[in-house]
Amino acid sequence: MKQKDVVKRLSIEQDTLEKEVAEAMGEIASEDMAQLYDDSTKEFEPDKIVQGKVINVTNDVVVIDVGYKSEGEVSASEFDTPPEIGEEVSVLLEAVEDESGTVVLSKKKADRIKGWEELIATKKEGDLVEGKVIRKIKGGLLLDVGVPVFLPASQIDIRRTGDISEYIGRTLQAQIIKIDQTRMNIVVSRRRLIEEERKKMKEKLLEELEEGQVRKGVVKNIADFGVFVDLGGIDGLLHITDMSWGRISHPSELVSIDDEIEIKILKLDRKKERIALGLKQKTESPWTDIEKKYPIQSKVTGRVVNVMNYGAFVKLEDGIEGLVHISEISWTKRINHPSDVVNIGDEVEVVVLDINKEKQEISLGMKQTEINPWSLVEEKYPVGTVIEGRVRNLTNYGAFIEIEEGIDGLLHISDMSWTKKISHPSEMLKKGDNIQAQVLEVDQERKRVALGMKQLHSDPWQDEILGKYKVDDTVSGKVTKLTNFGVFVELETDLEGLLHISELTDKKIKSPNEVVKVGDVVEVKILRVDEKERKIGLSLVKAQSDEEESESDSEEEENQVQDSSSESADAPEESEESAEQNEEEKEE
């Protein structure tokens, strides 16, 4: 208790108090009394640990007598459990008296100093310590090992920890990695301790492991490509392809972190410390008797599990999937993408086309479950049949005519006209036209139907053309096309002749357009009529030469007539008899 407060509370006069004290002290002189007081207080210096006795305990403070002229108080929160009155405790004397005359004490600081001194005296860097995690601070945790020590977040475990708050209240063992005596700071590592322990376990485990063994492990990490499993000191990789005979999109579909699983050692590399693990290998492969379960040409039902641009994957059972190539989906439909016909989850009927056991591949077909319409084409459209169809597409070499859904015939440019020279089918047809054509050939194996338009009419080369156009005839025609080798001249509708560049002029020219242009009407002479090649050769040069000769002959005849007339005027008139005679001579 505080002496000054006691004096005030008792209201004792100062003279009376001094008298009573003198009587109590007896014969001790005042000089001796001063000496005794100095001796009793000289050991009470700030920042020293002193022993004291608990003389009172309240909810807020604990009053401690340390032998000084007044007692000191310590906050009750500095005690883990409330102390008993009379209990001896060590406290740090922070100040002999504060402004109110109270001795300032701290049990917590005394404990820390004693703990620090004890720790420094007994521990060094590399030694192990054990303590309870008391709270989370910036960058890590505080671990109480007698004194608070710092456990960085990166040193808590060998793997990154999500929320380090979950360690609060747990008792952990760690290794001292740094001691700073000046700052009274210690840094510890639990990770280093775990790594050393795992190293020893790893060495022992590597000696025990053998390929083909089945062991237990704990899932420690999950990635897109697989799972890392702790075998008890060393991690092995369980690749996604070795997790299930069936299809899985992600390893998390089968396992979770901290799951204990039983796995098989597939491959072991002690030098590189790499272990390949397998989960599906614990059971027999479904491909073992695949030929017996799914004979070639057998019809089965499956479920579409994936659709790619080149085909659809169909699951027949767990671990058994086959590919229906896009070309095997339909006999006749033009399919741009398999999703035009099937979607994931659809149940479909398929036929087993081929099995590659080594590659674990099955080729399947959907169209084989139906009758091939091409097997009926020859029966439905025998050679000579006249069909009606729609122009579906044009190419450089012809037109594709849709005979019925999924069945096209090819109308080649050479079968479009008997007489016209066709460079591109667009000269005769356009997409979407409905036309008639004759079936020329059906190739069921190659799935081809050859069609012809010109065959709907008789061949004019057989009678009309040969009778109408003769060699050396001069005919008139219109220039329809210029090429680097000559000019095409239309003699009549759908009939053209070729006027070679050498037959255009007797002069040397580089291009036909130096002489003629498209649309010009020209007089040409027929050089040849080739029934076999179906070609008519023409000449402009010879036609012009013949014309010039004809004109020259006409002029000469005209001159002769003029000369004869002149002579008749000068000569005596002939008798009728003489004229007739002369005429007869001319006729002869």
Side-chain angles (χ1 to χ4, degrees), residues 5 126 211 228 251 379 447 542 555:
D5 290 343
E211 291 183 5
F228 288 96
E379 182 181 337
K447 299 178 183 177
K542 290 186 178 179
E555 287 177 5

Side-chain angles (χ1 to χ4, degrees), residues 432-452:
D433 283 352
N434 288 313
I435 65 163
Q436 281 191 333
Q438 188 180 91
V439 177
L440 305 180
E441 183 186 4
V442 177
D443 189 336
Q444 183 177 314
E445 188 176 334
R446 299 172 71 186
K447 299 178 183 177
R448 290 182 181 177
V449 177
L451 301 174

Side-chain angles (χ1 to χ4, degrees), residues 139-284:
L141 300 171
L142 276 184
L143 188 66
D144 185 4
V145 296
V147 294
V149 296
F150 179 53
L151 174 59
S154 62
Q155 299 298 317
I156 294 174
D157 205 337
I158 55 175
R159 293 179 179 84
R160 182 176 293 181
T161 306
D163 183 10
I164 61 175
S165 300
E166 64 186 30
Y167 286 91
I168 295 174
R170 289 175 55 181
T171 299
L172 304 179
Q173 196 175 45
Q175 187 180 59
I176 298 174
I177 57 175
K178 185 178 181 182
I179 298 176
D180 188 339
Q181 293 194 38
T182 305
R183 298 182 178 180
M184 294 181 67
N185 186 29
I186 295 177
V187 181
V188 297
S189 171
R190 179 172 175 261
R191 174 177 179 167
R192 188 175 293 183
L193 183 62
I194 294 173
E195 286 175 341
E196 289 182 0
E197 290 176 354
R198 284 180 63 85
K199 185 178 179 181
K200 294 175 184 177
M201 292 172 65
K202 183 193 296 184
E203 292 172 355
K204 182 181 178 183
L205 187 61
L206 283 172
E207 293 177 3
E208 298 175 358
L209 293 177
E210 295 292 342
E211 291 183 5
Q213 283 181 348
V214 176
R215 302 184 71 99
K216 289 184 178 181
V218 178
V219 176
K220 287 300 180 185
N221 196 16
I222 298 176
D224 292 338
F225 56 85
V227 175
F228 288 96
V229 181
D230 184 0
L231 299 174
I234 187 171
D235 287 353
L237 174 62
L238 174 59
H239 198 271
I240 188 171
T241 57
D242 291 310
M243 295 185 73
S244 171
W245 292 112
R247 175 187 293 268
I248 60 170
S249 301
H250 196 272
S252 59
E253 294 176 23
L254 294 182
V255 297
S256 301
I257 289 177
D258 292 332
D259 280 357
E260 185 178 67
I261 59 175
E262 198 171 55
I263 33 72
K264 191 172 186 177
I265 309 296
L266 302 182
K267 193 173 181 181
L268 175 63
D269 188 334
R270 288 186 171 86
K271 187 175 182 181
K272 293 183 179 180
E273 297 184 355
R274 291 181 181 174
I275 305 171
L277 306 174
L279 192 60
K280 70 181 185 183
Q281 287 79 1
K282 291 170 56 188
T283 58
E284 188 177 47

Side-chain angles (χ1 to χ4, degrees), residues 48-157:
K48 288 188 66 177
I49 294 176
V50 297
Q51 288 295 110
K53 182 183 291 185
V54 177
I55 59 174
N56 193 19
V57 178
T58 67
N59 290 333
D60 299 325
V61 296
V62 176
V63 182
I64 299 174
D65 180 10
V66 293
Y68 192 59
K69 61 181 180 179
S70 59
E71 293 84 13
E73 292 180 353
V74 176
S75 173
S77 62
E78 295 192 25
F79 291 85
D80 294 333
T81 57
E84 299 289 335
I85 293 177
E87 183 179 333
E88 294 279 340
V89 294
S90 296
V91 291
L92 177 68
L93 183 63
E94 293 190 82
V96 176
E97 281 187 350
D98 60 7
E99 295 177 355
S100 61
T102 304
V103 177
V104 181
L105 305 174
S106 173
K107 179 181 182 300
K108 188 174 182 179
K109 291 181 179 179
D111 290 344
R112 182 174 180 183
I113 292 171
K114 287 177 66 179
W116 171 260
E117 290 174 348
E118 183 180 345
L119 191 64
I120 292 300
T122 59
K123 301 290 182 181
K124 61 184 182 301
E125 291 181 359
D127 288 349
L128 302 183
V129 290
E130 187 175 88
K132 182 182 288 187
V133 178
I134 52 178
R135 70 174 182 273
K136 174 184 174 181
I137 61 173
K138 184 179 180 181
L141 300 171
L142 276 184
L143 188 66
D144 185 4
V145 296
V147 294
V149 296
F150 179 53
L151 174 59
S154 62
Q155 299 298 317
I156 294 174
D157 205 337

